Structure formats: structure tokens, C-alpha cells
Amino acid sequence: PKRIVVVGASAGGHLCAREAVFYKELKENVIRNLLKFQNAEVVEKYKKISARPDAVGLLYPVISFSSDYHEGSYLNNTNGNPQLQKKLSLEFQIQPEYPITYAYANADDSCVPVSNTVRLNEALEKAGVIHLCEIYPSGDHGIGLGYNTSAKMWSENMLKFFDQYL
């Protein structure tokens, strides 16, 4: 129960990082929806469960919509709304209670600029969050476990990192 880790890649990384930022807001939305379809007993049980993940694993994640961003993710998540652009640029939202985080990116990523992970690293550092952000020289985008790339150790590094802190 104290080792819930959400892991996501690319746009899925943005969703996982966003859950870790907006978990209270998301839980309130779930409770409102549960109230429409479930009895009060189910809702009360859910209220006792934390929606905050204990750790976050982000693989070549989309983090920012402020600059150097992945255009498709930006349009799909904000519909061009400048208020959502700022709110969903997660490097501006990370606070000290953000979960421990592992992230990696590849310097040669042709889809999501590596600067997203660099900005994430800076935000986590500034907030004092326990984290490990790695930049590998090559591997491009969407590489899964990354065998045959310089990022081949990312999954082992992530597991060792979480074992150390969870």
C-alpha cells in the first residue's frame, strides 16, 4: 500500500506526472462521479484511499507546454487555451510534497525534446524532491526497454532507485 508507482512514457509520462501534481483535484472529481452512481458506503471507503502515488516513473516524458514542447500533446491537452498551457506545464507546478521520481530521456529524441526532462530535473531539484533524472546519448523515442540503445539500463536503474527509497 505504500509502494504505489505510476509509470508512463511520452504523453503517458505527462499523465502520470500530472496525476502526481493534481491528485487532490482528481480525487474530488472521482468522488463527485461516484456519488452519482454508487452508494454512500462505497464513496466513504474511497475517501479513505490516497490518490497520490508514492513514486513516479517518467520515460521520455512530455512535461512542458510553455516552450520546446510536443505539439500534439499540447493541442490535445490544452486545445490552445493559454490558461491550461500554464497550468499543465508541470515544471511550474511541482511542490515539495511531489512523490519521489525517476525520469529518463534520450538526447537524440526526435519526438519529445530532451529539454522536458531537463526542466523536470530542475523543478524537482528546486522543490527538494528525491529524484533521479538520467539523460542517455541515444535511443530516440518509444524504445520500450531500450535494448540495443545507450538507455538499456534505464529500467534496472529505476527499480534500484525505487527500492532504495520505497
Side-chain angles (χ1 to χ4, degrees):
K2 297 294 183 196
R3 292 178 56 117
I4 305 297
V5 180
V6 294
V7 178
S10 192
H14 188 268
L15 293 175
C16 291
R18 196 159 94 193
E19 160 138 9
V21 168
F22 299 114
Y23 67 93
K24 291 177 187 173
E25 200 175 307
L26 292 168
K27 184 171 181 172
E28 289 169 7
N29 288 337
V30 169
I31 289 171
R32 269 195 302 277
N33 285 313
L34 280 175
L35 287 170
K36 295 176 191 175
F37 304 106
Q38 295 291 329
N39 64 40
E41 186 178 316
V42 171
V43 174
E44 287 307 310
K45 284 181 182 179
Y46 183 77
K47 284 181 179 179
K48 295 176 185 172
I49 299 170
S50 173
R52 179 187 175 274
D54 299 304
V56 181
L58 307 172
L59 325 175
Y60 36 87
V62 172
I63 295 298
S64 183
F65 296 142
S66 64
S67 65
D68 207 20
Y69 53 82
H70 180 259
E71 190 171 346
S73 295
Y74 166 73
L75 292 173
N76 287 324
N77 283 277
T78 69
N79 203 23
N81 179 331
Q83 288 178 312
L84 285 177
Q85 182 180 21
K86 176 141 181 153
K87 180 178 181 177
L88 298 180
S89 290
L90 302 175
E91 73 270 29
F92 302 124
Q93 307 299 336
I94 292 176
Q95 301 296 319
E97 67 272 4
Y98 194 82
I100 68 169
T101 301
Y102 172 85
Y104 94 88
N106 298 310
D108 67 345
D109 193 320
S110 61
C111 185
V112 176
V114 70
S115 61
N116 280 262
T117 300
V118 171
R119 282 195 292 269
L120 171 68
N121 184 60
E122 291 167 355
L124 293 166
E125 192 84 20
K126 183 177 177 185
V129 174
I130 296 170
H131 69 284
L132 174 59
C133 290
E134 299 182 301
I135 307 294
Y136 293 99
S138 62
D140 201 15
H141 192 80
I143 62 169
L145 290 173
Y147 299 134
N148 302 318
T149 73
S150 68
K152 65 185 173 198
M153 295 300 294
W154 79 260
S155 61
E156 290 180 40
N157 292 349
M158 181 180 75
L159 293 173
K160 286 177 192 171
F161 174 74
F162 288 148
D163 277 344
Q164 182 179 356
Y165 292 103
L166 289 177

